[in-house]
Amino acid sequence: MSATLRSFDVTVIREDFPILKQQVHGKPLVFLDSAASAQKPRAVIDAMRHVMEAQYANVHRGLHYMSEKTSDAFEAVRDKVAAFINAASRDEIVFTRNATESINLVAYTWGRTALRPGDAVAVSEMEHHANLVPWQMLRDAHGTDLRIIKITDAGEIDFDSLEQVFADGKVKLLAVTQMSNVLGSYTPVERLAKFAHERGAKILVDGCQAIVHRHVDVQAIGADFYAFSGHKLYGPTGIGVLYGKRELLEAMPPFMGGGEMIGHVTYEKSTWAKPPFRFEAGTPAIIETIGLGAAIDYVRGIGFEAIAAHEHELTEHALATLGNIEGVNIIGHAQDRGGVISFTMRHAHPHDIATLLDRQGIAVRAGHHCAEPLMGRMGVTGTARASFGMYTTPEEIDALAKGLLRIKQVFA
Amino acid sequence: MSDPYQALIVERHKHPLHAGRPAQFDAEGEGANPICGDKVHVYLRRAGMDVHYEAQGCAILSASADLMADAVAGKTAEQIAQLSRDFETLLTTGRENPALGGLNALAGLAAYSSRIRCATLPWSALAEALHHV
Ligand SMILES: Cc1ncc(COP(=O)(O)O)c(C=O)c1O
């Protein structure tokens, strides 16, 4: 680990997250729902407060001090994001509201111009609705085909199925998650990118979950598009990112029309700005973008090596501990997996588990996790899900296990 | 705030008194929650307002259906409509109401607005059944 990085101490990390001191129903908060949205460190809160208190105006428009300063701070985040995911250029970074908007942007603009009716988009069985529904909408509006790549029972991409789906050469886009928000599986995105490219297809990677836990290098992956949300990466809501290779973005028409995204406007017609501005119509989420910049600084300051090592220990501990509780069934057993663990429990419905854990101050999520078809694929109607962040402790996992044992007694 | 999983709820979930499809019934109704996939099917015998049900879902859903069957037995359709309104008030305010008897065990749900639908689902299924008789 490099000397500039802080050595990893979870109790010190926790001090950075003010909300972790809260009590819920008179018990210390045990927050095991970071995959839905992560808590925010003081650095992010302070950065956003600072913008509003000391350095705020609209960006790219005013010829005055505050606007210049705010534009600089805002655009500096584009550089930060580009460096964070190793994009070749800052112009490949488009700010959106969230990953959902990023994927919809690609489906709507690239999908309707680069794809022709009869071309196919392939997604896996374990996609979040955000990487399924936009392709269904494109299919219905534009006549493209939508194909589903099977996963194995362990929760890994089934390469035989992948071959089959691509066999007739019609697939022009592989849209796939880098980490399942239900099963915790990572997908081999480098291998998938190579596979797609060898067959003349592009690849869109949904990095929402993975980018929180691992260092991401879009060039090493070979991603054509990469999408993620700020709020899962310890940043604020309302800011997301779409990375797109320059030549792809340049060929794409705008998503929405309005200010910022134009070159020249007359009453009759307009020309479009270059990427990324072409895709950023209207006043952006200025405060949130600056908050995302602070989140990236914070995460880089700790370093993915340390974060990944800590989370790996947590995951191993959780799999062993929960796996030992008779009646608990963990859904998904991928070799390469992270700190997102879905489970069911005999005699206890996921919603009952979540509410009963909440009584003990423990926050988990229950339901289909925006992956309804995947529930059917795994043979369940829903699951309870515990997910970890860099601030999660082994003691919190023990608290979860204890909570589950109590629930088991209630329903036994 | 009262516990949403009082002993009576757990008891009725584990050992229901009115679960199962009866051999004879006059009307039936279904309640489904697309958000969680939970379902309840209610069977009504007009004589004595005898209610049975089949539930697929959480403990709140099945206990609520079971307690509902207790509460509506022997009542008129108008009385049931009133009970249903009182029950909804209980779930939103958390204030117990003697007229509701055992249903008061669900008062703790007032703190869990996302779970209220689990408790009201059997009542919408019953309303549908009543509509058909
Ligand atoms: C894998 C995955 N993709 C996409 C999304 C959508 O993220 P957002 O709601 O921030 O757009 C999520 C969030 O739950 C996710 O986990």
Side-chain angles (χ1 to χ4, degrees):
Chain A
M1 205 187 301
S2 108
T4 57
L5 299 179
R6 287 160 54 173
S7 68
F8 193 90
D9 178 347
V10 71
T11 56
V12 177
I13 298 278
R14 289 178 72 83
E15 288 294 314
D16 293 339
F17 291 80
I19 207 169
L20 298 178
K21 294 203 175 64
Q22 291 288 313
Q23 301 232 321
V24 170
H25 307 311
K27 315 246 165 50
L29 168 65
V30 173
F31 188 75
L32 299 177
D33 194 20
S34 292
S37 201
Q39 300 298 349
K40 319 305 173 199
R42 173 64 70 197
V44 168
I45 300 166
D46 286 350
M48 293 173 75
R49 177 195 285 261
H50 176 74
V51 188
M52 288 185 278
E53 287 186 349
Q55 198 200 63
Y56 182 76
N58 208 332
V59 291
H60 307 147
R61 308 181 181 191
L63 297 173
H64 52 77
Y65 177 84
M66 279 297 175
S67 179
E68 294 278 350
K69 282 295 212 194
T70 312
S71 301
D72 289 350
F74 177 85
E75 284 302 324
V77 178
R78 208 182 297 276
D79 294 310
K80 264 177 205 174
V81 172
F84 185 57
I85 61 174
N86 193 33
S89 157
R90 67 189 314 277
D91 298 336
E92 298 180 320
I93 305 300
V94 179
F95 290 129
T96 61
R97 269 190 314 140
N98 47 40
T100 301
E101 186 175 296
S102 301
I103 297 170
N104 275 275
L105 192 163
V106 176
Y108 198 87
T109 65
W110 184 83
R112 288 178 184 223
T113 50
L115 297 181
R116 269 168 297 179
D119 286 346
V121 174
V123 303
S124 85
E125 277 181 326
M126 59 178 159
E127 298 308 315
H128 188 280
H129 294 165
N131 197 27
L132 171 62
V133 179
W135 308 116
Q136 293 176 338
M137 290 167 71
L138 179 69
R139 176 195 62 199
D140 297 344
H142 190 61
T144 44
D145 193 11
L146 176 60
R147 300 182 182 177
I148 311 293
I149 300 153
K150 290 194 177 354
I151 58 168
T152 63
D153 291 340
E156 294 168 337
I157 297 284
D158 178 340
F159 272 78
D160 291 339
S161 169
L162 183 72
E163 294 272 5
Q164 278 167 21
V165 161
F166 273 77
D168 65 2
K170 294 237 166 90
V171 175
K172 294 291 183 299
L173 178 73
L174 170 59
V176 68
T177 189
Q178 192 179 0
M179 178 189 190
S180 163
N181 65 309
V182 174
L183 309 173
S185 339
Y186 288 103
T187 58
V189 277
E190 292 83 356
R191 187 174 159 201
L192 291 170
K194 193 157 170 284
F195 182 95
H197 291 154
E198 280 167 4
R199 287 158 184 80
K202 305 289 181 208
I203 181 166
L204 175 144
V205 178
D206 173 359
C208 247
Q209 295 294 336
I211 199 162
V212 184
H213 308 291
R214 306 197 146 163
H215 174 64
V216 166
D217 179 333
V218 289
Q219 295 190 74
I221 292 172
D224 296 295
F225 296 106
Y226 192 96
F228 66 95
S229 292
H231 68 94
K232 293 182 202 276
L233 188 60
Y234 309 102
T237 49
I239 177 68
V241 170
L242 171 67
Y243 158 84
K245 273 192 190 147
R246 182 198 286 271
E247 64 271 22
L248 296 174
L249 292 181
E250 270 173 0
M252 281 155 55
F255 184 34
M256 287 186 277
E260 300 274 346
M261 51 73 68
I262 37 75
H264 189 62
V265 181
T266 66
Y267 283 118
E268 289 72 38
K269 65 194 268 288
S270 304
T271 58
W272 314 137
K274 284 188 173 315
F277 303 107
R278 186 184 299 164
F279 307 103
E280 295 180 359
T283 299
I286 300 166
I287 301 158
E288 291 76 7
T289 306
I290 291 169
L292 173 63
I296 289 175
D297 287 342
Y298 181 78
V299 169
R300 294 193 89 173
I302 292 161
F304 276 113
E305 221 177 301
I307 294 173
H310 173 65
E311 291 178 353
H312 177 73
E313 264 176 51
L314 287 174
T315 306
E316 292 296 302
H317 180 61
L319 289 172
T321 313
L322 302 185
N324 259 334
I325 302 176
E326 203 266 324
V328 167
N329 180 30
I330 293 171
I331 314 289
H333 299 275
Q335 279 292 322
D336 188 14
R337 70 163 304 152
V340 173
I341 299 181
S342 278
F343 58 93
T344 57
M345 204 171 148
R346 194 160 9 142
H347 305 311
H349 187 282
H351 285 176
D352 292 325
I353 296 174
T355 304
L356 282 159
L357 287 174
D358 178 72
R359 306 289 303 167
Q360 305 169 44
I362 303 170
V364 300
R365 189 155 169 198
H368 55 51
H369 316 288
C370 297
E372 211 179 326
L374 176 60
M375 296 294 117
R377 162 64 185 88
M378 301 312 279
V380 293
T381 51
T383 72
R385 180 187 76 183
S387 57
F388 315 143
M390 65 165 92
Y391 41 65
T392 306
T393 66
E395 291 74 26
E396 289 182 307
I397 288 159
D398 296 340
L400 169 65
K402 226 167 106 187
L404 292 177
L405 286 170
R406 280 170 68 170
I407 294 170
K408 204 174 137 176
Q409 276 170 3
V410 170
F411 288 112
Chain B
M1 182 189 52
S2 68
D3 188 338
Y5 291 85
Q6 288 186 21
L8 182 59
I9 306 287
V10 176
E11 177 58 29
R12 287 302 184 93
H13 169 62
K14 289 202 278 197
H15 309 291
L17 302 180
H18 309 278
R21 180 194 166 104
Q24 285 172 355
F25 53 88
D26 304 312
E28 55 193 313
E30 170 128 334
N33 184 351
I35 297 175
C36 56
D38 287 359
K39 279 199 277 254
V40 61
H41 200 93
V42 161
Y43 303 93
L44 173 68
R45 237 180 314 191
R46 194 73 182 81
M49 285 290 179
D50 188 11
V51 167
H52 284 76
Y53 66 91
E54 286 172 309
Q56 243 180 61
C58 63
I60 301 291
L61 173 68
S62 51
S64 178
D66 216 60
L67 293 168
M68 175 184 80
D70 278 2
V72 302
K75 298 281 197 308
T76 65
E78 291 72 38
Q79 286 170 324
I80 292 173
Q82 184 59 45
L83 269 177
S84 173
R85 283 192 293 273
D86 288 349
F87 183 55
E88 293 215 10
T89 307
L90 172 86
L91 295 176
T92 45
T93 63
R95 270 196 297 281
E96 298 197 11
N97 173 351
L100 289 172
L103 291 168
N104 282 310
L106 289 153
L109 280 190
Y112 292 91
S113 56
S114 57
R115 300 296 307 278
I116 288 179
R117 185 88 196 276
C118 314
T120 56
L121 214 52
W123 290 85
S124 14
L126 176 60
E128 188 189 318
L130 280 167
H131 192 74
H132 293 315
V133 288

PDB file of all heavy atoms in Angstrom, chain A residues 306-327:
ATOM      1  N   ALA A 306      -7.207  -1.245   0.344  1.00  0.00           N
ATOM      2  CA  ALA A 306      -7.621  -1.387   1.744  1.00  0.00           C
ATOM      3  C   ALA A 306      -9.112  -1.681   1.842  1.00  0.00           C
ATOM      4  O   ALA A 306      -9.538  -2.539   2.630  1.00  0.00           O
ATOM      5  CB  ALA A 306      -7.279  -0.108   2.507  1.00  0.00           C
ATOM      6  N   ILE A 307      -9.903  -0.980   1.055  1.00  0.00           N
ATOM      7  CA  ILE A 307     -11.353  -1.186   1.103  1.00  0.00           C
ATOM      8  C   ILE A 307     -11.677  -2.632   0.720  1.00  0.00           C
ATOM      9  O   ILE A 307     -12.449  -3.311   1.399  1.00  0.00           O
ATOM     10  CB  ILE A 307     -12.075  -0.197   0.155  1.00  0.00           C
ATOM     11  CG1 ILE A 307     -11.906   1.245   0.665  1.00  0.00           C
ATOM     12  CG2 ILE A 307     -13.553  -0.558   0.004  1.00  0.00           C
ATOM     13  CD1 ILE A 307     -12.430   2.310  -0.276  1.00  0.00           C
ATOM     14  N   ALA A 308     -11.056  -3.092  -0.365  1.00  0.00           N
ATOM     15  CA  ALA A 308     -11.357  -4.446  -0.847  1.00  0.00           C
ATOM     16  C   ALA A 308     -10.914  -5.501   0.167  1.00  0.00           C
ATOM     17  O   ALA A 308     -11.623  -6.490   0.389  1.00  0.00           O
ATOM     18  CB  ALA A 308     -10.691  -4.680  -2.193  1.00  0.00           C
ATOM     19  N   ALA A 309      -9.774  -5.269   0.800  1.00  0.00           N
ATOM     20  CA  ALA A 309      -9.296  -6.255   1.779  1.00  0.00           C
ATOM     21  C   ALA A 309     -10.261  -6.329   2.960  1.00  0.00           C
ATOM     22  O   ALA A 309     -10.637  -7.423   3.411  1.00  0.00           O
ATOM     23  CB  ALA A 309      -7.891  -5.876   2.256  1.00  0.00           C
ATOM     24  N   HIS A 310     -10.683  -5.170   3.447  1.00  0.00           N
ATOM     25  CA  HIS A 310     -11.629  -5.124   4.566  1.00  0.00           C
ATOM     26  C   HIS A 310     -12.946  -5.803   4.185  1.00  0.00           C
ATOM     27  O   HIS A 310     -13.479  -6.633   4.927  1.00  0.00           O
ATOM     28  CB  HIS A 310     -11.863  -3.662   4.952  1.00  0.00           C
ATOM     29  CG  HIS A 310     -12.929  -3.463   5.979  1.00  0.00           C
ATOM     30  ND1 HIS A 310     -12.808  -3.932   7.268  1.00  0.00           N
ATOM     31  CD2 HIS A 310     -14.139  -2.857   5.907  1.00  0.00           C
ATOM     32  CE1 HIS A 310     -13.903  -3.614   7.952  1.00  0.00           C
ATOM     33  NE2 HIS A 310     -14.719  -2.958   7.145  1.00  0.00           N
ATOM     34  N   GLU A 311     -13.452  -5.462   3.017  1.00  0.00           N
ATOM     35  CA  GLU A 311     -14.753  -6.003   2.615  1.00  0.00           C
ATOM     36  C   GLU A 311     -14.672  -7.495   2.310  1.00  0.00           C
ATOM     37  O   GLU A 311     -15.652  -8.222   2.493  1.00  0.00           O
ATOM     38  CB  GLU A 311     -15.307  -5.218   1.419  1.00  0.00           C
ATOM     39  CG  GLU A 311     -15.684  -3.800   1.835  1.00  0.00           C
ATOM     40  CD  GLU A 311     -16.208  -2.942   0.686  1.00  0.00           C
ATOM     41  OE1 GLU A 311     -16.159  -3.386  -0.480  1.00  0.00           O
ATOM     42  OE2 GLU A 311     -16.666  -1.824   0.961  1.00  0.00           O
ATOM     43  N   HIS A 312     -13.520  -7.936   1.862  1.00  0.00           N
ATOM     44  CA  HIS A 312     -13.359  -9.363   1.610  1.00  0.00           C
ATOM     45  C   HIS A 312     -13.471 -10.137   2.929  1.00  0.00           C
ATOM     46  O   HIS A 312     -14.168 -11.155   3.018  1.00  0.00           O
ATOM     47  CB  HIS A 312     -12.003  -9.637   0.948  1.00  0.00           C
ATOM     48  CG  HIS A 312     -11.732 -11.087   0.711  1.00  0.00           C
ATOM     49  ND1 HIS A 312     -12.375 -11.793  -0.282  1.00  0.00           N
ATOM     50  CD2 HIS A 312     -10.942 -11.978   1.367  1.00  0.00           C
ATOM     51  CE1 HIS A 312     -11.975 -13.051  -0.236  1.00  0.00           C
ATOM     52  NE2 HIS A 312     -11.109 -13.194   0.749  1.00  0.00           N
ATOM     53  N   GLU A 313     -12.807  -9.610   3.961  1.00  0.00           N
ATOM     54  CA  GLU A 313     -12.893 -10.251   5.278  1.00  0.00           C
ATOM     55  C   GLU A 313     -14.328 -10.277   5.780  1.00  0.00           C
ATOM     56  O   GLU A 313     -14.806 -11.277   6.317  1.00  0.00           O
ATOM     57  CB  GLU A 313     -12.039  -9.471   6.286  1.00  0.00           C
ATOM     58  CG  GLU A 313     -10.655 -10.033   6.499  1.00  0.00           C
ATOM     59  CD  GLU A 313      -9.854  -9.146   7.434  1.00  0.00           C
ATOM     60  OE1 GLU A 313     -10.347  -8.815   8.530  1.00  0.00           O
ATOM     61  OE2 GLU A 313      -8.741  -8.764   7.036  1.00  0.00           O
ATOM     62  N   LEU A 314     -15.012  -9.145   5.609  1.00  0.00           N
ATOM     63  CA  LEU A 314     -16.405  -9.059   6.051  1.00  0.00           C
ATOM     64  C   LEU A 314     -17.265 -10.101   5.342  1.00  0.00           C
ATOM     65  O   LEU A 314     -18.090 -10.772   5.963  1.00  0.00           O
ATOM     66  CB  LEU A 314     -16.992  -7.685   5.714  1.00  0.00           C
ATOM     67  CG  LEU A 314     -16.539  -6.481   6.525  1.00  0.00           C
ATOM     68  CD1 LEU A 314     -17.140  -5.211   5.914  1.00  0.00           C
ATOM     69  CD2 LEU A 314     -16.975  -6.618   7.984  1.00  0.00           C
ATOM     70  N   THR A 315     -17.058 -10.209   4.043  1.00  0.00           N
ATOM     71  CA  THR A 315     -17.880 -11.114   3.243  1.00  0.00           C
ATOM     72  C   THR A 315     -17.640 -12.565   3.650  1.00  0.00           C
ATOM     73  O   THR A 315     -18.583 -13.342   3.828  1.00  0.00           O
ATOM     74  CB  THR A 315     -17.593 -10.911   1.739  1.00  0.00           C
ATOM     75  OG1 THR A 315     -17.768  -9.525   1.440  1.00  0.00           O
ATOM     76  CG2 THR A 315     -18.521 -11.721   0.869  1.00  0.00           C
ATOM     77  N   GLU A 316     -16.365 -12.911   3.826  1.00  0.00           N
ATOM     78  CA  GLU A 316     -16.043 -14.275   4.256  1.00  0.00           C
ATOM     79  C   GLU A 316     -16.682 -14.564   5.614  1.00  0.00           C
ATOM     80  O   GLU A 316     -17.278 -15.624   5.826  1.00  0.00           O
ATOM     81  CB  GLU A 316     -14.521 -14.448   4.370  1.00  0.00           C
ATOM     82  CG  GLU A 316     -13.799 -14.394   3.033  1.00  0.00           C
ATOM     83  CD  GLU A 316     -14.196 -15.541   2.126  1.00  0.00           C
ATOM     84  OE1 GLU A 316     -14.021 -16.709   2.539  1.00  0.00           O
ATOM     85  OE2 GLU A 316     -14.695 -15.275   1.015  1.00  0.00           O
ATOM     86  N   HIS A 317     -16.569 -13.588   6.505  1.00  0.00           N
ATOM     87  CA  HIS A 317     -17.136 -13.736   7.846  1.00  0.00           C
ATOM     88  C   HIS A 317     -18.657 -13.904   7.760  1.00  0.00           C
ATOM     89  O   HIS A 317     -19.250 -14.766   8.416  1.00  0.00           O
ATOM     90  CB  HIS A 317     -16.771 -12.507   8.684  1.00  0.00           C
ATOM     91  CG  HIS A 317     -17.297 -12.550  10.084  1.00  0.00           C
ATOM     92  ND1 HIS A 317     -16.948 -13.542  10.978  1.00  0.00           N
ATOM     93  CD2 HIS A 317     -18.151 -11.735  10.755  1.00  0.00           C
ATOM     94  CE1 HIS A 317     -17.571 -13.333  12.132  1.00  0.00           C
ATOM     95  NE2 HIS A 317     -18.309 -12.248  12.019  1.00  0.00           N
ATOM     96  N   ALA A 318     -19.277 -13.085   6.925  1.00  0.00           N
ATOM     97  CA  ALA A 318     -20.742 -13.134   6.818  1.00  0.00           C
ATOM     98  C   ALA A 318     -21.204 -14.449   6.202  1.00  0.00           C
ATOM     99  O   ALA A 318     -22.166 -15.063   6.677  1.00  0.00           O
ATOM    100  CB  ALA A 318     -21.245 -11.956   5.987  1.00  0.00           C
ATOM    101  N   LEU A 319     -20.502 -14.902   5.160  1.00  0.00           N
ATOM    102  CA  LEU A 319     -20.918 -16.145   4.512  1.00  0.00           C
ATOM    103  C   LEU A 319     -20.807 -17.312   5.491  1.00  0.00           C
ATOM    104  O   LEU A 319     -21.680 -18.179   5.553  1.00  0.00           O
ATOM    105  CB  LEU A 319     -20.069 -16.411   3.264  1.00  0.00           C
ATOM    106  CG  LEU A 319     -20.332 -15.473   2.079  1.00  0.00           C
ATOM    107  CD1 LEU A 319     -19.307 -15.699   0.979  1.00  0.00           C
ATOM    108  CD2 LEU A 319     -21.750 -15.647   1.543  1.00  0.00           C
ATOM    109  N   ALA A 320     -19.730 -17.299   6.281  1.00  0.00           N
ATOM    110  CA  ALA A 320     -19.544 -18.375   7.253  1.00  0.00           C
ATOM    111  C   ALA A 320     -20.595 -18.289   8.362  1.00  0.00           C
ATOM    112  O   ALA A 320     -21.217 -19.289   8.729  1.00  0.00           O
ATOM    113  CB  ALA A 320     -18.137 -18.300   7.841  1.00  0.00           C
ATOM    114  N   THR A 321     -20.805 -17.088   8.872  1.00  0.00           N
ATOM    115  CA  THR A 321     -21.711 -16.917  10.014  1.00  0.00           C
ATOM    116  C   THR A 321     -23.165 -17.195   9.627  1.00  0.00           C
ATOM    117  O   THR A 321     -23.869 -17.949  10.312  1.00  0.00           O
ATOM    118  CB  THR A 321     -21.602 -15.476  10.561  1.00  0.00           C
ATOM    119  OG1 THR A 321     -20.225 -15.151  10.683  1.00  0.00           O
ATOM    120  CG2 THR A 321     -22.271 -15.345  11.904  1.00  0.00           C
ATOM    121  N   LEU A 322     -23.607 -16.583   8.536  1.00  0.00           N
ATOM    122  CA  LEU A 322     -25.004 -16.776   8.139  1.00  0.00           C
ATOM    123  C   LEU A 322     -25.211 -18.198   7.628  1.00  0.00           C
ATOM    124  O   LEU A 322     -26.256 -18.811   7.873  1.00  0.00           O
ATOM    125  CB  LEU A 322     -25.418 -15.773   7.061  1.00  0.00           C
ATOM    126  CG  LEU A 322     -25.264 -14.288   7.414  1.00  0.00           C
ATOM    127  CD1 LEU A 322     -25.830 -13.413   6.303  1.00  0.00           C
ATOM    128  CD2 LEU A 322     -25.951 -13.952   8.732  1.00  0.00           C
ATOM    129  N   GLY A 323     -24.182 -18.706   6.939  1.00  0.00           N
ATOM    130  CA  GLY A 323     -24.281 -20.058   6.403  1.00  0.00           C
ATOM    131  C   GLY A 323     -24.426 -21.109   7.496  1.00  0.00           C
ATOM    132  O   GLY A 323     -24.915 -22.212   7.257  1.00  0.00           O
ATOM    133  N   ASN A 324     -24.001 -20.751   8.686  1.00  0.00           N
ATOM    134  CA  ASN A 324     -24.063 -21.670   9.818  1.00  0.00           C
ATOM    135  C   ASN A 324     -25.417 -21.700  10.498  1.00  0.00           C
ATOM    136  O   ASN A 324     -25.653 -22.538  11.364  1.00  0.00           O
ATOM    137  CB  ASN A 324     -23.035 -21.245  10.876  1.00  0.00           C
ATOM    138  CG  ASN A 324     -21.806 -22.099  10.791  1.00  0.00           C
ATOM    139  OD1 ASN A 324     -21.887 -23.238  10.326  1.00  0.00           O
ATOM    140  ND2 ASN A 324     -20.682 -21.563  11.233  1.00  0.00           N
ATOM    141  N   ILE A 325     -26.277 -20.764  10.163  1.00  0.00           N
ATOM    142  CA  ILE A 325     -27.587 -20.727  10.818  1.00  0.00           C
ATOM    143  C   ILE A 325     -28.515 -21.682  10.088  1.00  0.00           C
ATOM    144  O   ILE A 325     -28.781 -21.516   8.901  1.00  0.00           O
ATOM    145  CB  ILE A 325     -28.173 -19.298  10.813  1.00  0.00           C
ATOM    146  CG1 ILE A 325     -27.202 -18.339  11.510  1.00  0.00           C
ATOM    147  CG2 ILE A 325     -29.541 -19.286  11.479  1.00  0.00           C
ATOM    148  CD1 ILE A 325     -27.639 -16.896  11.468  1.00  0.00           C
ATOM    149  N   GLU A 326     -28.954 -22.672  10.795  1.00  0.00           N
ATOM    150  CA  GLU A 326     -29.810 -23.681  10.190  1.00  0.00           C
ATOM    151  C   GLU A 326     -31.094 -23.004   9.700  1.00  0.00           C
ATOM    152  O   GLU A 326     -31.712 -22.215  10.416  1.00  0.00           O
ATOM    153  CB  GLU A 326     -30.109 -24.755  11.255  1.00  0.00           C
ATOM    154  CG  GLU A 326     -30.492 -26.093  10.697  1.00  0.00           C
ATOM    155  CD  GLU A 326     -32.003 -26.238  10.582  1.00  0.00           C
ATOM    156  OE1 GLU A 326     -32.707 -25.713  11.470  1.00  0.00           O
ATOM    157  OE2 GLU A 326     -32.456 -26.855   9.614  1.00  0.00           O
ATOM    158  N   GLY A 327     -31.479 -23.281   8.453  1.00  0.00           N
ATOM    159  CA  GLY A 327     -32.696 -22.676   7.899  1.00  0.00           C
ATOM    160  C   GLY A 327     -32.427 -21.442   7.052  1.00  0.00           C
ATOM    161  O   GLY A 327     -33.286 -20.998   6.310  1.00  0.00           O
TER     162      GLY A 327
END
